[in-house]
Amino acid sequence: MQVTFLGTGTSQGIPVIGCNCEICSSGDPRDKRLRTALMLEKGKDRLVIDTGPDFRQQMLANNVKSLSGVLLTHEHNDHIAGLDDLRSFNFMSKKAVDIWAENRVINVLKRQYPYVFADKKYPGTPELVLHEINQGKIRIGAFEVEPIRLYHYKLPVLGFRIDDVAFLTDVSEIPPESIQKLTGLKLLIIDALRIREHISHFNLKQALDVANKLKPEQTRFIHISHHLGLHATVNSKLPAHIGPAYDGLSMSI
Ligand SMILES: [Zn+2]
Ligand SMILES: [Zn+2]
Ligand SMILES: [Zn+2]
């Protein structure tokens, strides 16, 4: 399976509009972070997790021409604001795009994109089929996806385990029953917003604590803000198998 980091930034991305800090003005391309999203590829199947405001750029940067489906972690704008751009895939495949999300998220999508889900649709609007995630595994083409319950402050959100890869974004608490589903990972992808603590995201120390507990072969951090530090500096202080991800990083797992 090929795992590609489409975006690794927090809700504002990096650089932040109007910010002249060392990170936002860094010349290192790894310090430029689009909003967090992941792509998984297996044979001819391709899955994307989250369609934030940078979705169009992410599809262009990675020359993506087909999608087997989309998984959504939660309804915050930095994870769903690119939904309309899925229509490009309708035009190419002449088919609807399948989206999987929890019921609460589906209701938000219907409210935020009323023209997409209207009975009488305006011509040219996206063709999306919504599938509700309940409990248990989901089969999408070659992928078997296990939803993992996480908490983003008090909001229940979903992480996903696909084979031995787990994607846990926008998380500040992993309940014990979810920890049990995260053993034996080859790659842990986990929220590490910044150095200081935050109410709704893990900071670097908390993300490291999870990695030390689960002992995956490799760990990469996502949903990174300009308060984490320069990519090169953060990376140099960590062991080789743990470190921040960067946009465009692609790993064969
Ligand atoms: Zn987010
Ligand atoms: Zn900055
Ligand atoms: Zn969020």
Side-chain angles (χ1 to χ4, degrees):
M1 185 163 64
Q2 197 66 26
V3 178
T4 304
F5 293 83
L6 300 174
T8 57
T10 187
S11 55
Q12 293 185 94
I14 303 179
V16 172
I17 294 174
C19 185
N20 298 317
C21 80
E22 186 189 17
I23 289 84
C24 290
S25 41
S26 163
D28 184 342
R30 296 172 303 174
D31 285 315
K32 307 241 179 289
R33 300 184 188 276
L34 298 176
R35 269 56 74 92
T36 287
L38 193 76
M39 181 165 75
L40 301 156
E41 294 170 284
K42 213 183 209 187
K44 61 178 178 37
D45 279 304
R46 188 173 297 108
L47 200 55
V48 164
I49 308 180
D50 286 342
T51 55
D54 300 318
F55 177 72
R56 173 176 168 274
Q57 266 181 274
Q58 292 165 338
M59 294 300 96
L60 291 171
N62 292 280
N63 198 22
V64 181
K65 296 205 167 74
S66 69
L67 292 178
S68 311
V70 172
L71 294 165
L72 297 177
T73 58
H74 67 302
E75 65 271 44
H76 287 161
N77 218 43
D78 54 322
H79 299 263
I80 65 164
L83 203 79
D84 191 278
D85 285 314
L86 283 169
R87 67 203 159 105
S88 302
F89 294 95
N90 298 146
F91 301 150
M92 285 188 284
S93 70
K94 314 274 187 253
K95 284 192 301 199
V97 175
D98 291 301
I99 299 179
W100 279 262
E102 289 192 272
N103 184 260
R104 184 195 72 239
V105 178
I106 285 176
N107 288 332
V108 173
L109 296 180
K110 288 178 177 170
R111 271 206 311 276
Q112 291 205 12
Y113 298 91
Y115 62 94
V116 175
F117 304 105
D119 291 338
K120 287 194 178 143
K121 278 172 58 77
Y122 192 84
T125 55
E127 297 280 347
L128 309 176
V129 178
L130 298 172
H131 303 268
E132 187 182 335
I133 299 176
N134 294 306
Q135 278 164 359
K137 294 180 181 173
I138 312 158
R139 167 66 66 175
I140 305 171
F143 300 99
E144 190 176 72
V145 181
E146 183 170 23
I148 310 283
R149 170 62 65 218
L150 307 171
Y151 290 94
H152 182 24
Y153 182 45
K154 290 183 180 165
L155 185 72
V157 303
L158 288 179
F160 299 105
R161 178 174 185 157
I162 299 113
D163 297 343
D164 292 331
V165 176
F167 178 79
L168 314 178
T169 194
D170 292 56
V171 53
S172 52
E173 184 194 339
I174 307 175
E177 62 275 20
S178 296
I179 289 283
Q180 288 171 15
K181 297 177 179 170
L182 295 168
T183 53
L185 290 173
K186 290 198 172 118
L187 174 61
L188 170 67
I189 302 167
I190 188 166
D191 189 348
L193 183 76
R194 63 185 191 187
I195 304 296
R196 276 192 302 128
E197 286 191 7
H198 188 275
I199 193 164
S200 59
H201 295 271
F202 282 148
N203 66 356
L204 180 62
K205 183 184 176 299
Q206 291 164 323
L208 283 168
D209 286 347
V210 175
N212 288 332
K213 189 161 162 185
L214 296 176
K215 301 199 183 344
E217 287 179 18
Q218 300 201 62
T219 301
R220 291 292 178 276
F221 302 126
I222 49 164
H223 218 284
I224 292 168
S225 80
H226 62 159
H227 297 302
L228 186 69
L230 290 168
H231 180 94
T233 309
V234 178
N235 209 27
S236 69
K237 291 178 182 163
L238 294 166
H241 64 287
I242 301 180
Y246 55 87
D247 292 18
L249 170 64
S250 195
M251 303 168 77
S252 184
I253 302 293

